[in-house]
Amino acid sequence: MKLKKEYTATLGLLLITVWSAVQYIFLQNVPDSVSTFSFLFVTYLVGFLILAALQFKKLRKINKKVLLKGMLLSGEVIGFNFFLVIGSKGVDSVIVSSLVSMYFVFVTPLLLLLKKKVSFRSAVASAVAIIALILMLNADISLFFKSVNAIFLIIADIFFATYVISISIVGKKEDAAVLTLSQLIFSVLFSFCGWAVEVAIGKGSFSFPTDKMFWLTVLFFGVFIRALYGLIQVSCQKHVKPVNASLIFSSEIIITLITNPFLSKLMHKEYTPANIYQIIGC
């Protein structure tokens, strides 16, 4: 029974990894005129409304303890998405996915800091991940120092690594829908506050573009990345160890490399074909 649950959970994590890999091509539909927090707000709001409609009865089960856990997870995932959005602007989706997939490098050190058990295999996998990252950056490590986008995406990696570990710790005994709803409540609030600050300092406005591709992106993010992704991740990580889960998530670069040519043509976006370094690193 335990093996069956772990197998099913692994398939669930693979499914949301596919969604995660596809999101980078959709991000190219977000105009530069749309502020980061306004995009986060509208997508989190859509995600919350959809999940609340599907799990309406679970709203009454949200208590103080779950709210505190939701606030913690929300802070981590808001940090991840904020740096992901600003770091991916003007960057090819394969490069974005390459950098974001390497968050696994930070999982082992964070587990050690938390005095959690880490296997030798995890250390080896981290070393392999670092080599793969260098290859996927065309063996040019200077990119880390000369590209502010790369720095932003690495910061996003750290946030997501802490998020993956936190879910395994705080979500183990909680109902997945209740915890995800709690997280979305705070994500909506935090992102709205951030949006208000952007408007106050002249970096945004309380408006959205009418472009249909933008709203298609909002709908995709709201349904698959905000609502269903969180629900499935919390449910599945109860049965999969953090290191194994992070290994599954790091495979998104492979999916991005495969789907990028097709999706780019479908959405009339330019893309840079993968080179030999990226293919070997992948």
Side-chain angles (χ1 to χ4, degrees):
M1 180 63 72
K2 182 179 179 181
L3 186 63
K4 184 178 180 181
K5 285 184 177 180
E6 187 174 349
Y7 176 74
T8 304
T10 299
L11 290 178
L13 294 178
L14 281 171
L15 174 63
I16 62 176
T17 300
V18 172
W19 297 342
S20 182
V22 171
Q23 71 175 315
Y24 305 117
I25 190 69
F26 277 91
L27 279 174
Q28 295 181 28
N29 294 321
V30 182
D32 291 337
S33 59
V34 177
S35 67
T36 302
F37 278 111
S38 67
F39 178 72
L40 294 180
F41 169 75
V42 70
T43 53
Y44 278 121
L45 181 61
V46 170
F48 172 74
L49 293 175
I50 290 172
L51 190 58
L54 295 173
Q55 302 283 344
F56 182 75
K57 293 182 179 179
K58 296 292 181 71
L59 286 170
R60 292 179 293 180
K61 295 184 179 181
I62 298 177
N63 53 40
K64 184 179 179 180
K65 183 183 72 171
V66 177
L67 283 173
L68 288 173
K69 291 181 177 182
M71 183 170 63
L72 169 67
L73 295 176
S74 175
E76 293 169 341
V77 79
I78 282 284
F80 165 70
N81 282 295
F82 174 78
F83 286 104
L84 171 64
V85 173
I86 62 174
S88 62
K89 287 185 177 179
V91 181
D92 185 79
S93 57
V94 172
I95 296 296
V96 175
S97 183
S98 299
L99 286 166
V100 175
S101 294
M102 291 302 105
Y103 81 92
F104 174 77
V105 172
F106 300 101
V107 172
T108 299
L110 286 170
L111 286 172
L112 289 172
L113 283 174
L114 293 171
K115 297 181 179 180
K116 299 291 184 180
K117 186 178 179 181
V118 177
S119 66
F120 176 73
R121 184 185 65 174
S122 301
V124 172
S126 295
V128 172
I130 293 172
I131 295 171
L133 173 59
I134 294 173
L135 286 170
M136 285 187 283
L137 295 177
N138 300 326
D140 182 13
I141 59 174
S142 64
L143 179 63
F144 289 115
F145 308 102
K146 66 184 180 183
S147 172
V148 67
N149 293 77
I151 294 172
F152 287 148
L153 292 172
I154 290 169
I155 295 173
D157 281 341
I158 297 172
F159 272 104
F160 193 70
T162 59
Y163 180 66
V164 170
I165 294 171
S166 295
I167 284 183
S168 297
I169 297 172
V170 305
K172 201 166 187 179
K173 297 181 180 179
E174 299 294 344
D175 182 274
V178 175
L179 185 58
T180 304
L181 284 167
S182 175
Q183 175 185 312
L184 285 172
I185 289 172
F186 283 103
S187 295
V188 171
L189 291 174
F190 290 160
S191 55
F192 181 78
C193 290
W195 186 16
V197 171
E198 287 178 330
V199 173
I201 63 177
K203 296 293 185 179
S205 63
F206 287 120
S207 62
F208 293 107
T210 56
D211 179 60
K212 65 179 182 179
M213 292 305 294
F214 169 76
W215 287 104
L216 175 64
T217 299
V218 169
L219 186 61
F220 171 81
F221 267 77
V223 175
F224 294 101
I225 304 300
R226 306 302 187 224
L228 297 181
Y229 188 106
L231 182 64
I232 294 173
Q233 184 177 6
V234 174
S235 299
C236 294
Q237 273 201 232
K238 293 180 180 181
H239 310 290
V240 180
K241 295 178 181 179
V243 173
N244 293 342
S246 61
L247 276 171
I248 294 169
F249 293 143
S250 67
S251 67
E252 74 175 44
I253 176 56
I254 301 172
I255 301 167
T256 301
L257 210 61
I258 294 171
T259 60
N260 191 46
F262 167 72
L263 290 176
S264 295
K265 289 181 181 179
L266 185 65
M267 296 191 177
H268 307 290
K269 300 291 182 181
E270 293 184 1
Y271 79 97
T272 304
N275 57 41
I276 187 64
Y277 283 119
Q278 291 171 333
I279 293 172
I280 294 173
C282 178

